[in-house]
mmCIF file of all heavy atoms in Angstrom:
data_model
loop_
_atom_site.group_PDB
_atom_site.id
_atom_site.type_symbol
_atom_site.label_atom_id
_atom_site.label_comp_id
_atom_site.label_asym_id
_atom_site.label_seq_id
_atom_site.Cartn_x
_atom_site.Cartn_y
_atom_site.Cartn_z
ATOM 1 N N VAL A 1 0.822 -1.196 -0.003
ATOM 2 C CA VAL A 1 0.001 -0.003 0.003
ATOM 3 C C VAL A 1 0.867 1.266 -0.004
ATOM 4 O O VAL A 1 0.386 2.352 -0.313
ATOM 5 C CB VAL A 1 -1.006 -0.019 1.171
ATOM 6 C CG1 VAL A 1 -0.375 0.410 2.469
ATOM 7 C CG2 VAL A 1 -2.200 0.843 0.867
ATOM 8 N N TYR A 2 2.151 1.121 0.311
ATOM 9 C CA TYR A 2 3.054 2.270 0.358
ATOM 10 C C TYR A 2 3.844 2.467 -0.936
ATOM 11 O O TYR A 2 4.662 3.379 -1.025
ATOM 12 C CB TYR A 2 4.001 2.142 1.554
ATOM 13 C CG TYR A 2 3.240 2.182 2.856
ATOM 14 C CD1 TYR A 2 2.834 1.003 3.486
ATOM 15 C CD2 TYR A 2 2.873 3.384 3.430
ATOM 16 C CE1 TYR A 2 2.099 1.034 4.665
ATOM 17 C CE2 TYR A 2 2.145 3.435 4.611
ATOM 18 C CZ TYR A 2 1.762 2.251 5.221
ATOM 19 O OH TYR A 2 1.029 2.288 6.376
ATOM 20 N N GLU A 3 3.572 1.614 -1.911
ATOM 21 C CA GLU A 3 4.234 1.767 -3.199
ATOM 22 C C GLU A 3 3.609 2.918 -3.985
ATOM 23 O O GLU A 3 2.460 3.297 -3.758
ATOM 24 C CB GLU A 3 4.141 0.469 -3.996
ATOM 25 C CG GLU A 3 4.971 -0.642 -3.363
ATOM 26 C CD GLU A 3 5.001 -1.894 -4.214
ATOM 27 O OE1 GLU A 3 4.392 -1.923 -5.302
ATOM 28 O OE2 GLU A 3 5.624 -2.858 -3.765
ATOM 29 N N GLU A 4 4.373 3.462 -4.883
ATOM 30 C CA GLU A 4 3.941 4.616 -5.685
ATOM 31 C C GLU A 4 2.609 4.352 -6.393
ATOM 32 O O GLU A 4 1.762 5.241 -6.473
ATOM 33 C CB GLU A 4 5.026 4.951 -6.717
ATOM 34 C CG GLU A 4 4.776 6.227 -7.481
ATOM 35 C CD GLU A 4 4.894 7.472 -6.630
ATOM 36 O OE1 GLU A 4 5.711 7.478 -5.698
ATOM 37 O OE2 GLU A 4 4.157 8.433 -6.899
ATOM 38 N N THR A 5 2.425 3.148 -6.853
ATOM 39 C CA THR A 5 1.211 2.811 -7.615
ATOM 40 C C THR A 5 -0.038 2.744 -6.725
ATOM 41 O O THR A 5 -1.155 2.716 -7.237
ATOM 42 C CB THR A 5 1.371 1.464 -8.337
ATOM 43 O OG1 THR A 5 1.719 0.465 -7.379
ATOM 44 C CG2 THR A 5 2.448 1.548 -9.401
ATOM 45 N N ALA A 6 0.155 2.737 -5.420
ATOM 46 C CA ALA A 6 -0.983 2.607 -4.509
ATOM 47 C C ALA A 6 -1.235 3.893 -3.711
ATOM 48 O O ALA A 6 -1.892 3.866 -2.679
ATOM 49 C CB ALA A 6 -0.750 1.437 -3.563
ATOM 50 N N ARG A 7 -0.736 4.999 -4.195
ATOM 51 C CA ARG A 7 -0.865 6.274 -3.460
ATOM 52 C C ARG A 7 -2.328 6.612 -3.137
ATOM 53 O O ARG A 7 -2.640 7.017 -2.026
ATOM 54 C CB ARG A 7 -0.262 7.419 -4.259
ATOM 55 C CG ARG A 7 1.218 7.379 -4.328
ATOM 56 C CD ARG A 7 1.790 8.393 -3.375
ATOM 57 N NE ARG A 7 3.208 8.462 -3.611
ATOM 58 C CZ ARG A 7 4.083 8.549 -2.649
ATOM 59 N NH1 ARG A 7 3.678 8.594 -1.417
ATOM 60 N NH2 ARG A 7 5.353 8.599 -2.922
ATOM 61 N N GLU A 8 -3.209 6.449 -4.099
ATOM 62 C CA GLU A 8 -4.627 6.775 -3.876
ATOM 63 C C GLU A 8 -5.241 5.853 -2.835
ATOM 64 O O GLU A 8 -6.012 6.283 -1.993
ATOM 65 C CB GLU A 8 -5.423 6.716 -5.181
ATOM 66 C CG GLU A 8 -5.351 7.975 -6.009
ATOM 67 C CD GLU A 8 -5.792 9.228 -5.248
ATOM 68 O OE1 GLU A 8 -6.899 9.230 -4.658
ATOM 69 O OE2 GLU A 8 -5.031 10.195 -5.234
ATOM 70 N N LYS A 9 -4.904 4.583 -2.920
ATOM 71 C CA LYS A 9 -5.416 3.616 -1.942
ATOM 72 C C LYS A 9 -4.932 3.988 -0.539
ATOM 73 O O LYS A 9 -5.706 3.966 0.427
ATOM 74 C CB LYS A 9 -4.958 2.197 -2.313
ATOM 75 C CG LYS A 9 -5.449 1.128 -1.387
ATOM 76 C CD LYS A 9 -6.942 0.966 -1.478
ATOM 77 C CE LYS A 9 -7.405 -0.210 -0.660
ATOM 78 N NZ LYS A 9 -8.855 -0.356 -0.669
ATOM 79 N N LEU A 10 -3.661 4.348 -0.419
ATOM 80 C CA LEU A 10 -3.118 4.750 0.877
ATOM 81 C C LEU A 10 -3.839 5.988 1.398
ATOM 82 O O LEU A 10 -4.219 6.048 2.568
ATOM 83 C CB LEU A 10 -1.621 5.028 0.767
ATOM 84 C CG LEU A 10 -0.933 5.537 2.036
ATOM 85 C CD1 LEU A 10 -1.097 4.542 3.183
ATOM 86 C CD2 LEU A 10 0.522 5.831 1.760
ATOM 87 N N LYS A 11 -4.058 6.945 0.535
ATOM 88 C CA LYS A 11 -4.759 8.174 0.930
ATOM 89 C C LYS A 11 -6.165 7.841 1.428
ATOM 90 O O LYS A 11 -6.606 8.356 2.453
ATOM 91 C CB LYS A 11 -4.828 9.133 -0.245
ATOM 92 C CG LYS A 11 -5.445 10.453 0.082
ATOM 93 C CD LYS A 11 -5.438 11.388 -1.122
ATOM 94 C CE LYS A 11 -6.149 12.677 -0.801
ATOM 95 N NZ LYS A 11 -6.204 13.579 -1.947
ATOM 96 N N GLU A 12 -6.872 6.956 0.717
ATOM 97 C CA GLU A 12 -8.219 6.543 1.130
ATOM 98 C C GLU A 12 -8.187 5.837 2.488
ATOM 99 O O GLU A 12 -9.032 6.091 3.338
ATOM 100 C CB GLU A 12 -8.830 5.612 0.081
ATOM 101 C CG GLU A 12 -9.158 6.283 -1.226
ATOM 102 C CD GLU A 12 -9.550 5.291 -2.315
ATOM 103 O OE1 GLU A 12 -9.794 4.099 -1.996
ATOM 104 O OE2 GLU A 12 -9.598 5.701 -3.477
ATOM 105 N N LEU A 13 -7.217 4.948 2.669
ATOM 106 C CA LEU A 13 -7.111 4.220 3.923
ATOM 107 C C LEU A 13 -6.817 5.159 5.095
ATOM 108 O O LEU A 13 -7.410 5.021 6.168
ATOM 109 C CB LEU A 13 -6.018 3.144 3.826
ATOM 110 C CG LEU A 13 -6.332 1.947 2.941
ATOM 111 C CD1 LEU A 13 -5.098 1.057 2.803
ATOM 112 C CD2 LEU A 13 -7.500 1.142 3.494
ATOM 113 N N LEU A 14 -5.922 6.109 4.891
ATOM 114 C CA LEU A 14 -5.593 7.032 5.964
ATOM 115 C C LEU A 14 -6.764 7.951 6.287
ATOM 116 O O LEU A 14 -7.020 8.255 7.461
ATOM 117 C CB LEU A 14 -4.357 7.853 5.580
ATOM 118 C CG LEU A 14 -3.049 7.058 5.532
ATOM 119 C CD1 LEU A 14 -1.930 7.917 4.973
ATOM 120 C CD2 LEU A 14 -2.688 6.500 6.897
ATOM 121 N N THR A 15 -7.505 8.352 5.262
ATOM 122 C CA THR A 15 -8.694 9.161 5.489
ATOM 123 C C THR A 15 -9.735 8.363 6.277
ATOM 124 O O THR A 15 -10.330 8.865 7.229
ATOM 125 C CB THR A 15 -9.288 9.646 4.152
ATOM 126 O OG1 THR A 15 -8.312 10.450 3.486
ATOM 127 C CG2 THR A 15 -10.559 10.448 4.345
ATOM 128 N N ARG A 16 -9.924 7.129 5.892
ATOM 129 C CA ARG A 16 -10.891 6.254 6.579
ATOM 130 C C ARG A 16 -10.448 5.996 8.018
ATOM 131 O O ARG A 16 -11.262 6.000 8.937
ATOM 132 C CB ARG A 16 -11.042 4.942 5.804
ATOM 133 C CG ARG A 16 -12.054 4.010 6.389
ATOM 134 C CD ARG A 16 -13.460 4.540 6.224
ATOM 135 N NE ARG A 16 -14.403 3.579 6.774
ATOM 136 C CZ ARG A 16 -15.422 3.887 7.537
ATOM 137 N NH1 ARG A 16 -15.691 5.135 7.803
ATOM 138 N NH2 ARG A 16 -16.215 2.953 8.001
ATOM 139 N N GLN A 17 -9.151 5.776 8.213
ATOM 140 C CA GLN A 17 -8.626 5.549 9.555
ATOM 141 C C GLN A 17 -8.903 6.760 10.449
ATOM 142 O O GLN A 17 -9.329 6.610 11.596
ATOM 143 C CB GLN A 17 -7.132 5.265 9.503
ATOM 144 C CG GLN A 17 -6.528 5.004 10.868
ATOM 145 C CD GLN A 17 -5.031 4.906 10.823
ATOM 146 O OE1 GLN A 17 -4.360 5.694 10.154
ATOM 147 N NE2 GLN A 17 -4.483 3.925 11.539
ATOM 148 N N THR A 18 -8.676 7.935 9.922
ATOM 149 C CA THR A 18 -8.935 9.160 10.680
ATOM 150 C C THR A 18 -10.400 9.263 11.057
ATOM 151 O O THR A 18 -10.746 9.594 12.206
ATOM 152 C CB THR A 18 -8.504 10.401 9.863
ATOM 153 O OG1 THR A 18 -7.099 10.300 9.598
ATOM 154 C CG2 THR A 18 -8.799 11.685 10.591
ATOM 155 N N GLU A 19 -11.284 8.959 10.131
ATOM 156 C CA GLU A 19 -12.724 9.009 10.387
ATOM 157 C C GLU A 19 -13.120 7.977 11.434
ATOM 158 O O GLU A 19 -13.901 8.270 12.337
ATOM 159 C CB GLU A 19 -13.503 8.802 9.094
ATOM 160 C CG GLU A 19 -14.994 8.728 9.262
ATOM 161 C CD GLU A 19 -15.637 9.991 9.843
ATOM 162 O OE1 GLU A 19 -15.011 11.069 9.807
ATOM 163 O OE2 GLU A 19 -16.763 9.888 10.355
ATOM 164 N N LEU A 20 -12.586 6.782 11.335
ATOM 165 C CA LEU A 20 -12.913 5.738 12.313
ATOM 166 C C LEU A 20 -12.425 6.114 13.705
ATOM 167 O O LEU A 20 -13.133 5.907 14.697
ATOM 168 C CB LEU A 20 -12.306 4.403 11.875
ATOM 169 C CG LEU A 20 -12.958 3.746 10.664
ATOM 170 C CD1 LEU A 20 -12.134 2.540 10.208
ATOM 171 C CD2 LEU A 20 -14.387 3.343 10.956
ATOM 172 N N LYS A 21 -11.244 6.691 13.797
ATOM 173 C CA LYS A 21 -10.732 7.121 15.096
ATOM 174 C C LYS A 21 -11.604 8.204 15.689
ATOM 175 O O LYS A 21 -11.858 8.220 16.897
ATOM 176 C CB LYS A 21 -9.287 7.605 14.960
ATOM 177 C CG LYS A 21 -8.297 6.480 14.800
ATOM 178 C CD LYS A 21 -6.873 6.998 14.725
ATOM 179 C CE LYS A 21 -5.885 5.849 14.624
ATOM 180 N NZ LYS A 21 -4.501 6.326 14.650
ATOM 181 N N ARG A 22 -12.102 9.111 14.847
ATOM 182 C CA ARG A 22 -12.996 10.166 15.320
ATOM 183 C C ARG A 22 -14.294 9.558 15.849
ATOM 184 O O ARG A 22 -14.787 9.935 16.909
ATOM 185 C CB ARG A 22 -13.295 11.156 14.196
ATOM 186 C CG ARG A 22 -14.132 12.348 14.646
ATOM 187 C CD ARG A 22 -14.635 13.180 13.471
ATOM 188 N NE ARG A 22 -15.521 12.443 12.594
ATOM 189 C CZ ARG A 22 -16.806 12.154 12.875
ATOM 190 N NH1 ARG A 22 -17.342 12.527 14.005
ATOM 191 N NH2 ARG A 22 -17.546 11.480 12.023
ATOM 192 N N GLN A 23 -14.835 8.591 15.111
ATOM 193 C CA GLN A 23 -16.081 7.948 15.533
ATOM 194 C C GLN A 23 -15.900 7.190 16.838
ATOM 195 O O GLN A 23 -16.787 7.219 17.706
ATOM 196 C CB GLN A 23 -16.582 7.000 14.431
ATOM 197 C CG GLN A 23 -17.102 7.719 13.212
ATOM 198 C CD GLN A 23 -17.507 6.763 12.109
ATOM 199 O OE1 GLN A 23 -17.403 5.548 12.223
ATOM 200 N NE2 GLN A 23 -17.975 7.320 11.005
ATOM 201 N N VAL A 24 -14.782 6.513 16.994
ATOM 202 C CA VAL A 24 -14.514 5.787 18.239
ATOM 203 C C VAL A 24 -14.418 6.776 19.395
ATOM 204 O O VAL A 24 -14.977 6.544 20.474
ATOM 205 C CB VAL A 24 -13.221 4.947 18.124
ATOM 206 C CG1 VAL A 24 -12.747 4.457 19.478
ATOM 207 C CG2 VAL A 24 -13.422 3.782 17.180
ATOM 208 N N SER A 25 -13.739 7.875 19.177
ATOM 209 C CA SER A 25 -13.607 8.886 20.224
ATOM 210 C C SER A 25 -14.966 9.430 20.647
ATOM 211 O O SER A 25 -15.243 9.573 21.844
ATOM 212 C CB SER A 25 -12.704 10.007 19.734
ATOM 213 O OG SER A 25 -12.568 10.998 20.708
ATOM 214 N N GLU A 26 -15.812 9.711 19.669
ATOM 215 C CA GLU A 26 -17.159 10.206 19.974
ATOM 216 C C GLU A 26 -17.974 9.160 20.734
ATOM 217 O O GLU A 26 -18.675 9.481 21.693
ATOM 218 C CB GLU A 26 -17.892 10.607 18.694
ATOM 219 C CG GLU A 26 -17.382 11.879 18.071
ATOM 220 C CD GLU A 26 -18.096 12.245 16.783
ATOM 221 O OE1 GLU A 26 -19.075 11.556 16.400
ATOM 222 O OE2 GLU A 26 -17.669 13.224 16.150
ATOM 223 N N ALA A 27 -17.876 7.904 20.317
ATOM 224 C CA ALA A 27 -18.608 6.832 20.986
ATOM 225 C C ALA A 27 -18.128 6.656 22.420
ATOM 226 O O ALA A 27 -18.934 6.452 23.327
ATOM 227 C CB ALA A 27 -18.461 5.523 20.203
ATOM 228 N N GLU A 28 -16.832 6.753 22.630
ATOM 229 C CA GLU A 28 -16.291 6.645 23.981
ATOM 230 C C GLU A 28 -16.789 7.786 24.863
ATOM 231 O O GLU A 28 -17.093 7.590 26.038
ATOM 232 C CB GLU A 28 -14.765 6.626 23.941
ATOM 233 C CG GLU A 28 -14.193 5.324 23.423
ATOM 234 C CD GLU A 28 -12.683 5.362 23.257
ATOM 235 O OE1 GLU A 28 -12.089 6.455 23.185
ATOM 236 O OE2 GLU A 28 -12.089 4.274 23.187
ATOM 237 N N GLU A 29 -16.877 8.976 24.294
ATOM 238 C CA GLU A 29 -17.366 10.116 25.054
ATOM 239 C C GLU A 29 -18.833 9.927 25.470
ATOM 240 O O GLU A 29 -19.207 10.168 26.624
ATOM 241 C CB GLU A 29 -17.217 11.399 24.229
ATOM 242 C CG GLU A 29 -17.568 12.648 24.991
ATOM 243 C CD GLU A 29 -17.305 13.911 24.202
ATOM 244 O OE1 GLU A 29 -16.408 13.920 23.346
ATOM 245 O OE2 GLU A 29 -18.009 14.900 24.459
ATOM 246 N N VAL A 30 -19.646 9.454 24.525
ATOM 247 C CA VAL A 30 -21.057 9.181 24.827
ATOM 248 C C VAL A 30 -21.159 8.107 25.881
ATOM 249 O O VAL A 30 -21.960 8.199 26.821
ATOM 250 C CB VAL A 30 -21.815 8.788 23.536
ATOM 251 C CG1 VAL A 30 -23.194 8.241 23.859
ATOM 252 C CG2 VAL A 30 -21.915 9.979 22.592
ATOM 253 N N TRP A 31 -20.347 7.068 25.765
ATOM 254 C CA TRP A 31 -20.346 5.978 26.717
ATOM 255 C C TRP A 31 -19.979 6.480 28.125
ATOM 256 O O TRP A 31 -20.635 6.140 29.114
ATOM 257 C CB TRP A 31 -19.379 4.901 26.253
ATOM 258 C CG TRP A 31 -19.214 3.726 27.170
ATOM 259 C CD1 TRP A 31 -20.139 3.224 28.037
ATOM 260 C CD2 TRP A 31 -18.065 2.905 27.315
ATOM 261 N NE1 TRP A 31 -19.619 2.126 28.704
ATOM 262 C CE2 TRP A 31 -18.348 1.911 28.280
ATOM 263 C CE3 TRP A 31 -16.821 2.902 26.704
ATOM 264 C CZ2 TRP A 31 -17.430 0.948 28.645
ATOM 265 C CZ3 TRP A 31 -15.908 1.923 27.071
ATOM 266 C CH2 TRP A 31 -16.216 0.956 28.025
ATOM 267 N N MET A 32 -18.952 7.294 28.215
ATOM 268 C CA MET A 32 -18.525 7.807 29.514
ATOM 269 C C MET A 32 -19.607 8.705 30.129
ATOM 270 O O MET A 32 -19.845 8.652 31.338
ATOM 271 C CB MET A 32 -17.204 8.567 29.377
ATOM 272 C CG MET A 32 -16.025 7.678 29.018
ATOM 273 S SD MET A 32 -15.765 6.305 30.141
ATOM 274 C CE MET A 32 -15.256 7.155 31.598
ATOM 275 N N GLU A 33 -20.267 9.492 29.298
ATOM 276 C CA GLU A 33 -21.352 10.330 29.803
ATOM 277 C C GLU A 33 -22.504 9.469 30.316
ATOM 278 O O GLU A 33 -23.096 9.761 31.356
ATOM 279 C CB GLU A 33 -21.840 11.285 28.716
ATOM 280 C CG GLU A 33 -20.841 12.381 28.387
ATOM 281 C CD GLU A 33 -21.225 13.220 27.187
ATOM 282 O OE1 GLU A 33 -22.263 12.935 26.540
ATOM 283 O OE2 GLU A 33 -20.474 14.153 26.874
ATOM 284 N N ALA A 34 -22.820 8.403 29.597
ATOM 285 C CA ALA A 34 -23.891 7.501 30.016
ATOM 286 C C ALA A 34 -23.507 6.788 31.317
ATOM 287 O O ALA A 34 -24.330 6.645 32.224
ATOM 288 C CB ALA A 34 -24.193 6.485 28.920
ATOM 289 N N LEU A 35 -22.279 6.356 31.406
ATOM 290 C CA LEU A 35 -21.811 5.690 32.618
ATOM 291 C C LEU A 35 -21.878 6.636 33.816
ATOM 292 O O LEU A 35 -22.324 6.244 34.907
ATOM 293 C CB LEU A 35 -20.374 5.193 32.426
ATOM 294 C CG LEU A 35 -19.747 4.410 33.573
ATOM 295 C CD1 LEU A 35 -20.568 3.169 33.890
ATOM 296 C CD2 LEU A 35 -18.326 4.038 33.226
ATOM 297 N N GLU A 36 -21.495 7.873 33.603
ATOM 298 C CA GLU A 36 -21.576 8.861 34.680
ATOM 299 C C GLU A 36 -23.026 9.092 35.105
ATOM 300 O O GLU A 36 -23.323 9.189 36.294
ATOM 301 C CB GLU A 36 -20.956 10.179 34.220
ATOM 302 C CG GLU A 36 -20.889 11.230 35.298
ATOM 303 C CD GLU A 36 -20.214 12.507 34.845
ATOM 304 O OE1 GLU A 36 -19.464 12.484 33.862
ATOM 305 O OE2 GLU A 36 -20.449 13.541 35.492
ATOM 306 N N ALA A 37 -23.934 9.148 34.143
ATOM 307 C CA ALA A 37 -25.354 9.329 34.455
ATOM 308 C C ALA A 37 -25.885 8.145 35.256
ATOM 309 O O ALA A 37 -26.651 8.314 36.210
ATOM 310 C CB ALA A 37 -26.160 9.519 33.168
ATOM 311 N N ILE A 38 -25.480 6.940 34.890
ATOM 312 C CA ILE A 38 -25.906 5.732 35.621
ATOM 313 C C ILE A 38 -25.368 5.771 37.055
ATOM 314 O O ILE A 38 -26.099 5.506 38.006
ATOM 315 C CB ILE A 38 -25.439 4.451 34.892
ATOM 316 C CG1 ILE A 38 -26.220 4.278 33.593
ATOM 317 C CG2 ILE A 38 -25.564 3.229 35.790
ATOM 318 C CD1 ILE A 38 -25.672 3.208 32.679
ATOM 319 N N GLU A 39 -24.084 6.123 37.182
ATOM 320 C CA GLU A 39 -23.500 6.191 38.519
ATOM 321 C C GLU A 39 -24.215 7.236 39.374
ATOM 322 O O GLU A 39 -24.470 7.010 40.554
ATOM 323 C CB GLU A 39 -22.015 6.481 38.420
ATOM 324 C CG GLU A 39 -21.216 5.302 37.883
ATOM 325 C CD GLU A 39 -19.764 5.646 37.600
ATOM 326 O OE1 GLU A 39 -19.391 6.830 37.615
ATOM 327 O OE2 GLU A 39 -18.992 4.692 37.337
ATOM 328 N N ASN A 40 -24.537 8.371 38.797
ATOM 329 C CA ASN A 40 -25.238 9.425 39.525
ATOM 330 C C ASN A 40 -26.638 8.967 39.910
ATOM 331 O O ASN A 40 -27.125 9.293 40.989
ATOM 332 C CB ASN A 40 -25.285 10.707 38.721
ATOM 333 C CG ASN A 40 -23.930 11.387 38.637
ATOM 334 O OD1 ASN A 40 -23.068 11.185 39.484
ATOM 335 N ND2 ASN A 40 -23.739 12.207 37.620
ATOM 336 N N ALA A 41 -27.290 8.232 39.031
ATOM 337 C CA ALA A 41 -28.637 7.724 39.312
ATOM 338 C C ALA A 41 -28.595 6.708 40.453
ATOM 339 O O ALA A 41 -29.476 6.680 41.307
ATOM 340 C CB ALA A 41 -29.255 7.093 38.072
ATOM 341 N N GLU A 42 -27.546 5.891 40.473
ATOM 342 C CA GLU A 42 -27.399 4.914 41.546
ATOM 343 C C GLU A 42 -27.185 5.609 42.896
ATOM 344 O O GLU A 42 -27.690 5.162 43.920
ATOM 345 C CB GLU A 42 -26.251 3.946 41.236
ATOM 346 C CG GLU A 42 -26.550 2.990 40.127
ATOM 347 C CD GLU A 42 -25.345 2.133 39.730
ATOM 348 O OE1 GLU A 42 -24.212 2.438 40.139
ATOM 349 O OE2 GLU A 42 -25.557 1.156 39.008
ATOM 350 N N ILE A 43 -26.438 6.688 42.889
ATOM 351 C CA ILE A 43 -26.188 7.447 44.120
ATOM 352 C C ILE A 43 -27.489 8.020 44.650
ATOM 353 O O ILE A 43 -27.733 8.047 45.847
ATOM 354 C CB ILE A 43 -25.143 8.566 43.874
ATOM 355 C CG1 ILE A 43 -23.772 7.939 43.638
ATOM 356 C CG2 ILE A 43 -25.116 9.538 45.040
ATOM 357 C CD1 ILE A 43 -22.715 8.921 43.171
ATOM 358 N N ASP A 44 -28.363 8.474 43.740
ATOM 359 C CA ASP A 44 -29.638 9.075 44.122
ATOM 360 C C ASP A 44 -30.635 8.065 44.672
ATOM 361 O O ASP A 44 -31.620 8.442 45.274
ATOM 362 C CB ASP A 44 -30.247 9.832 42.923
ATOM 363 C CG ASP A 44 -29.439 11.056 42.544
ATOM 364 O OD1 ASP A 44 -28.655 11.561 43.406
ATOM 365 O OD2 ASP A 44 -29.599 11.543 41.407
ATOM 366 N N LEU A 45 -30.388 6.796 44.428
ATOM 367 C CA LEU A 45 -31.321 5.776 44.932
ATOM 368 C C LEU A 45 -31.088 5.615 46.376
ATOM 369 O O LEU A 45 -31.430 5.411 47.309
ATOM 370 C CB LEU A 45 -31.125 4.432 44.204
ATOM 371 C CG LEU A 45 -31.520 4.432 42.729
ATOM 372 C CD1 LEU A 45 -31.203 3.051 42.125
ATOM 373 C CD2 LEU A 45 -32.988 4.702 42.560
#
């Protein structure tokens, strides 16, 4: 994938990797917020 003939493929893969990392980061943030809400709800019980 690092050969000259595969430059476009490499560019696509790196772009996709960046997007996937962003999505994982967002999902982790949502997960942590949900976990915090659950913990707070348990404290209120």
